Amino acid sequence: MAPKVFSGAFNNSGQICCAVKRCFVHEDIFDEFKDELVRCAEKATFGDGFEVGVEYGPLNNKMQLDKVSALVEDARAQGCEVLCGGGRREGSRGFFYEPTIVSNIKEGVRLFDEEQFGPVMPITPYKSDEEAVARANDSEYGLGGSVWTSDFATGNALASKLLAGTVWVNQHTDLTEAPFGGFKQSGLGREFGSFNVASFTEVQTLSLAKQDV
């Protein structure tokens, strides 16, 4: 499961609007899952996308690289633990940032609250499903989310409680032609399907007085 979560966060070096931005892991498996994510990051191949075997490329521009760097440094300054990565990739052409996993982090830290849009994932433990849902929904954003579980019924029930335009169960960023769009500050309207067409229309209400017959 950890490799799939890692992929959902780090595909395109995290530069996907609905990528995993933060990860809540049950406290019973937190240490094991954290170690698995670190192994995924250490095995990931970053570099020139034209080279054979490269999986992940650079950030789009220097401004974004500086933003990602600032978010990680702010987290480090607030006592968060950088488990791997945590810096620019030296000696490489392009705006590369090392794949980074950050632990010991919570609400109030910029990396946890904001959208990093880069190869960095903060992870934090939780005790109960109710806590996880409440904390996940405590955000001004709501484009996409996912639930990962061995119990499909539980996953489906929790997914319906997340305030996001698209919620996956045991997968992430798998897009179809189903309506796609966000809640809250993640946008208005939907792409695809009849909902997409509706956003280009205007609704008119006609109210006619009854006439005596």
Side-chain angles (χ1 to χ4, degrees):
M1 187 175 292
K4 292 183 179 180
V5 174
F6 181 87
S7 177
F10 286 82
N11 275 348
N12 204 36
S13 296
Q15 299 168 109
I16 300 176
C17 57
C18 57
V20 175
K21 297 299 192 296
R22 53 186 181 165
C23 184
F24 299 90
V25 183
H26 194 276
E27 60 182 5
D28 290 347
I29 62 169
F30 181 78
D31 289 336
E32 178 184 359
F33 196 82
K34 174 181 66 176
D35 292 342
E36 284 292 323
L37 288 175
V38 170
R39 279 191 281 272
C40 290
E42 292 174 341
K43 291 190 301 182
T45 305
F46 277 68
D48 187 337
F50 290 102
E51 294 180 1
V52 177
V54 170
E55 300 172 292
Y56 306 98
L59 293 173
N60 183 263
N61 54 60
K62 185 178 183 300
M63 182 178 68
Q64 186 60 26
L65 176 63
D66 290 342
K67 176 184 176 181
V68 171
S69 298
L71 289 175
V72 174
E73 290 310 308
D74 175 73
R76 203 194 306 264
Q78 295 195 54
C80 302
E81 183 180 5
V82 178
L83 301 175
C84 61
R88 305 183 185 206
R89 185 176 176 182
E90 301 298 334
S92 299
R93 295 181 59 190
F95 305 115
F96 288 95
Y97 196 86
E98 298 173 342
T100 302
I101 306 294
V102 180
S103 183
N104 191 30
I105 189 170
K106 60 182 179 180
E107 292 82 356
V109 178
R110 288 183 59 203
L111 177 60
F112 195 84
D113 295 340
E114 299 179 19
E115 291 190 316
Q116 63 274 41
F117 224 66
V120 179
M121 180 166 63
I123 59 173
T124 187
Y126 69 89
K127 293 179 180 295
S128 67
D129 292 345
E130 292 74 18
E131 177 196 346
V133 170
R135 294 177 68 190
N137 287 337
D138 185 21
S139 171
E140 63 179 319
Y141 304 111
L143 184 59
S146 56
V147 178
W148 300 80
T149 177
S150 58
D151 186 331
F152 184 79
T154 297
N156 190 43
L158 292 176
S160 66
K161 297 178 181 179
L162 293 179
L163 302 179
T166 298
V167 182
W168 295 273
V169 177
N170 292 342
Q171 57 183 3
H172 199 99
T173 67
D174 299 71
L175 296 177
T176 65
E177 294 302 309
F180 178 76
F183 288 9
K184 298 181 277 189
Q185 294 299 312
S186 289
L188 299 172
R190 292 294 182 270
E191 298 178 72
F192 309 127
S194 59
F195 291 95
N196 180 37
V197 176
S199 65
F200 292 94
T201 65
E202 294 285 359
V203 176
Q204 182 185 54
T205 299
L206 295 180
S207 180
L208 306 180
K210 289 185 176 181
Q211 294 183 346
D212 294 334
V213 178

